[in-house]
């Protein structure tokens, strides 16, 4: 468990991070207000802010009127809480690559990623049941003998992950934009 009161530097740009007290969750998060705009969450803190209904106003208020320096997102970052190299991990239903420290549990998000994760998670919660039942219906339908054409293609590929992921994406986008 990381020390939330110690002043730490940003894993992406080395600027000193500002402590922001999140009233509702009762925790401090470190935000790179004078550098890249990244956010460092200590162990399990991100879970308190990754859904739209969870209050993250203090962070977004602190961002107001500021511009942030771009950083190279693909490079390996060093956890500034415990000095361990961080690893890239999917967040926001796997679509956003964030930096995670497997030693202390810290998670670093580049500027803008928190907003994206909150939106994706919301969309997922809203549509997951719908998408699952649609996929199941298509799978069930295609277990019937079909000779040739799109039916046999679906029969062959629908249970493989990339096909399902593509189908889910299609359904998400359809339901979001209709
Ligand atoms: Zn920074
Ligand atoms: Zn760490």
């Amino acid at each position: 468990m990381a020390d939330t009161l110690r002043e730490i530097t940003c894993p992406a740009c080395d600027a000193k991070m500002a402590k922001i007290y999140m009233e509702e969750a009762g925790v401090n998060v470190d935000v790179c207000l004078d550098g890249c705009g990244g956010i460092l969450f200590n162990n399990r803190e991100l879970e308190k802010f990754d859904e739209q209904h969870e209050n993250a106003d203090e962070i977004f208020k602190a961002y107001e009127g500021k511009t942030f320096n771009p950083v190279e997102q693909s490079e390996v970052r060093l956890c500034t809480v415990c000095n361990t190299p961080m690893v890239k991990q999917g967040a926001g239903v796997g679509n956003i690559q964030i930096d995670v420290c497997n030693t202390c549990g810290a998670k670093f998000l580049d500027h803008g990623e928190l907003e994206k994760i909150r939106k994706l998670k919301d969309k997922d919660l809203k549509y997951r049941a719908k998408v699952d039942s649609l996929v199941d219906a298509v799978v069930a339908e295609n277990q019937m003998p079909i000779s040739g054409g799109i039916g046999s293609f679906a029969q062959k590929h629908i249970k493989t992950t990339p096909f399902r992921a593509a189908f889910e994406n299609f359904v998400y986008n359809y339901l979001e934009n209709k």
Side-chain angles (χ1 to χ4, degrees):
M1 188 66 189
D3 175 11
T4 53
L5 294 173
R6 183 159 55 92
E7 187 174 75
I8 52 177
T9 55
C10 175
C13 75
D14 290 331
K16 277 205 189 321
M17 298 185 97
K19 299 266 172 226
I20 296 186
Y21 182 66
M22 308 299 286
E23 182 89 45
E24 225 171 285
V27 297
N28 281 300
V29 297
D30 295 276
V31 185
C32 186
L33 291 179
D34 297 319
C36 67
I39 312 167
L40 190 73
F41 292 98
N42 288 319
N43 197 20
R44 294 188 178 277
E45 282 177 2
L46 175 59
E47 291 164 27
K48 298 176 169 50
F49 307 106
D50 63 353
E51 291 168 23
Q52 297 274 39
H53 64 93
E54 293 167 329
N55 191 349
D57 289 352
E58 287 95 338
I59 294 174
F60 300 131
K61 230 168 249 157
Y63 276 161
E64 274 170 24
K66 285 191 174 277
T67 50
F68 299 106
N69 305 326
V71 285
E72 178 50 61
Q73 296 194 4
S74 60
E75 73 183 17
V76 174
R77 282 138 178 196
L78 206 61
C79 174
T80 43
V81 178
C82 75
N83 275 323
T84 309
M86 301 179 98
V87 294
K88 308 281 174 200
Q89 202 178 80
V93 207
N95 291 296
I96 309 289
Q97 290 290 305
I98 64 166
D99 293 279
V100 176
C101 173
N102 286 329
T103 303
C104 75
K107 291 180 175 152
F108 180 77
L109 273 59
D110 286 293
H111 184 235
E113 286 182 341
L114 181 63
E115 294 90 322
K116 285 184 200 152
I117 288 169
R118 286 162 65 92
K119 275 200 192 110
L120 286 165
K121 189 115 188 228
D122 228 48
K123 199 158 121 181
D124 188 60
L125 291 173
K126 204 159 136 200
Y127 292 134
R128 188 184 311 173
K130 216 173 230 178
V131 169
D132 278 349
S133 66
L134 276 169
V135 170
D136 289 346
V138 175
V139 168
E141 202 180 301
N142 286 287
Q143 274 163 353
M144 295 184 295
I146 303 160
S147 53
I150 191 100
S152 64
F153 175 84
Q155 190 176 32
K156 209 161 133 194
H157 295 285
I158 199 152
K159 285 184 176 168
T160 65
T161 313
F163 188 88
R164 186 181 165 108
F167 183 76
E168 284 181 355
N169 250 329
F170 172 80
V171 174
Y172 279 142
N173 289 333
Y174 175 77
L175 295 172
E176 272 292 285
N177 299 316
K178 77 172 179 180

